[in-house]
Amino acid sequence: MNNVNRRDIVRSLGATGALATLSPFTGNLFAANSKKDSLPMQLYKSMSDEQREKVGLPLNHDSRKFVSNWWYVHKQHRIHNTFNADQQELIQKIFDSMHNPEYAAAINKQVKKDQYGQAKNTPAVAFFGTPDDKDFEFVYTGHHVTRRCNAHTDKGMGFGGGPVFYGHFDKKFRETSEHIGNPYWYQGKIFNEFIQALDSKQQARALAGDQPRPERGNIIAKKDSGWDGLACSELSTDQKKQLKQTMRRMLEMFRQDDVDATLRTIEKHGLDRLNVACYDGKFDLGKDQEWDTWQIEGPEMVWYFRGYPHIHTYFHVKS
């Protein structure tokens, strides 16, 4: 696990005075009752009134449903200039807790690298609502990263409700078909295993052309009809089981509780309501029919994986 401490942040940002304006910390971050509190709740209780005013948002604020490949829930109030060293360490623990430990180091490397060593690219966090709200939420945003969790518990409750994002390019903005160094290409490989297991007619129906959803405006907008690709209602019972297992394997980078809860939500809406699509043209890097850009979509869900020119992934399922 690649926990980030005060020295790491200074070193990665390359900013000599980036941490000079951190709020002074008073009190014991790990109070006597901290064992009963979730990690997000520990952070919330450690914050001063001034900090809460800076990063707290109403429960139904528009940003709670927003997602983009590069955005900050608070443009001015970033982790490095809003939280002290102990709180920054706790924020890192919260972030790590949302991931499978086997993937944590690669994901942290991605988040750190996508800051480009500049203070202006430091992630930002926020709380939606207050501890009195059942849906009290913690969100972590930045370049190529959006993560969310219920702030009341360290048990993952799934991604039903708010959208998440993950993406990266390691060395070149325009990646090759191998996506070398990209921690998220493993999902593309798993998706292609599922496509290759379909029969030729099903594969032909899954190929939806060279125009995936535009990456502007409301990228996670859902449709009530007219979905691209192969209708999952046409899959056999065994193929539906394989699709469910494919989605589970692709979600493996997240903590197990979130994976389980998310799949329950998808099943509640119904696999038969989903469509599977992949895209060619410039979106098929190397023209090798190992599909770099694909989508699993239905009236309640969008899982859009765009591999050209590098990986951007948007995931949203209604609760």
Side-chain angles (χ1 to χ4, degrees):
M1 187 173 293
N2 185 21
N3 287 328
V4 178
N5 57 32
R6 189 185 184 96
R7 291 187 298 275
D8 289 332
I9 293 175
V10 174
R11 188 161 52 245
S12 67
L13 294 177
T16 58
L19 302 176
T21 60
L22 284 173
S23 303
F25 176 66
T26 58
N28 184 0
L29 179 63
F30 302 100
N33 65 348
S34 64
K35 292 183 180 180
K36 299 180 181 179
D37 291 326
S38 66
L39 292 172
M41 191 65 75
Q42 290 178 41
L43 176 64
Y44 187 83
K45 288 185 174 181
S46 78
M47 290 161 53
S48 66
D49 290 342
E50 180 182 2
Q51 288 175 314
R52 292 179 187 178
E53 184 175 351
K54 287 180 178 179
V55 304
L57 293 170
L59 189 66
N60 295 319
H61 192 276
D62 288 345
S63 292
R64 189 170 184 186
K65 300 296 184 182
F66 183 79
V67 71
S68 175
N69 67 299
W70 194 346
W71 74 293
Y72 302 98
V73 63
H74 292 293
K75 291 184 179 180
Q76 302 301 322
H77 309 307
R78 306 295 184 82
I79 293 174
H80 79 276
N81 64 11
T82 306
F83 298 95
N84 62 57
D86 288 332
Q87 291 170 324
Q88 292 175 36
E89 181 180 355
L90 187 49
I91 290 170
Q92 183 64 41
K93 288 182 178 180
I94 296 169
F95 185 78
D96 286 340
S97 76
M98 291 188 277
H99 298 94
N100 182 332
E102 294 181 9
Y103 290 78
I107 291 170
N108 278 318
K109 180 181 178 182
Q110 173 261 302
V111 173
K112 182 176 180 179
K113 189 166 185 176
D114 282 334
Q115 294 177 43
Y116 301 138
Q118 300 180 50
K120 67 179 183 179
N121 298 325
T122 309
V125 303
F127 286 94
F128 292 101
T130 73
D132 292 331
D133 297 309
K134 179 181 178 181
D135 295 330
F136 185 40
E137 186 175 82
F138 171 86
V139 62
Y140 183 110
T141 65
H143 185 202
H144 284 156
V145 57
T146 299
R147 303 288 195 277
R148 303 171 189 269
C149 67
N150 187 293
H152 284 298
T153 177
D154 291 322
K155 180 179 179 179
M157 299 178 70
F159 304 127
V164 297
F165 177 92
Y166 48 97
H168 186 53
F169 66 88
D170 189 63
K171 292 180 170 51
K172 293 184 178 181
F173 182 84
R174 296 183 180 275
E175 292 187 322
T176 65
S177 60
E178 291 81 13
H179 301 277
I180 296 171
N182 198 310
Y184 306 115
W185 178 234
Y186 85 93
Q187 293 188 345
K189 291 180 177 179
I190 293 170
F191 177 84
N192 275 280
E193 289 177 10
F194 171 75
I195 294 295
Q196 291 303 316
L198 299 175
D199 65 41
S200 59
K201 291 182 179 179
Q202 290 173 321
Q203 289 186 39
R205 288 199 293 276
L207 183 56
D210 60 0
Q211 296 294 321
R213 62 176 55 224
E215 199 171 359
R216 60 180 182 274
N218 184 7
I219 185 65
I220 56 170
K222 299 169 188 62
K223 300 184 294 186
D224 293 327
S225 62
W227 305 286
D228 287 350
L230 172 67
C232 293
S233 59
E234 299 179 24
L235 300 177
S236 69
T237 299
D238 287 343
Q239 288 173 326
K240 290 176 185 177
K241 290 181 180 178
Q242 187 174 3
L243 175 60
K244 180 181 174 182
Q245 184 61 23
T246 295
M247 291 189 288
R248 178 176 291 278
R249 290 173 62 202
M250 292 194 299
L251 288 170
E252 192 177 55
M253 60 184 261
F254 298 108
R255 57 187 171 189
Q256 189 66 51
D257 291 337
D258 276 326
V259 176
D260 292 340
T262 299
L263 287 173
R264 285 195 297 270
T265 300
I266 294 172
E267 286 189 284
K268 178 187 73 174
H269 295 310
L271 291 182
D272 282 352
R273 292 168 66 81
L274 296 176
N275 287 253
V276 175
C278 42
Y279 299 89
D280 59 8
K282 69 180 182 181
F283 292 95
D284 175 22
L285 299 177
K287 310 299 181 185
D288 54 7
Q289 296 188 2
E290 183 178 36
W291 308 115
D292 305 89
T293 300
W294 49 265
Q295 182 172 264
I296 304 174
E297 178 190 21
E300 296 88 15
M301 175 177 164
V302 169
W303 191 346
Y304 175 47
F305 187 101
R306 189 216 71 184
Y308 166 86
H310 57 266
I311 293 173
H312 282 184
T313 314
Y314 302 82
F315 184 95
H316 184 234
V317 57
K318 292 182 180 179
S319 56

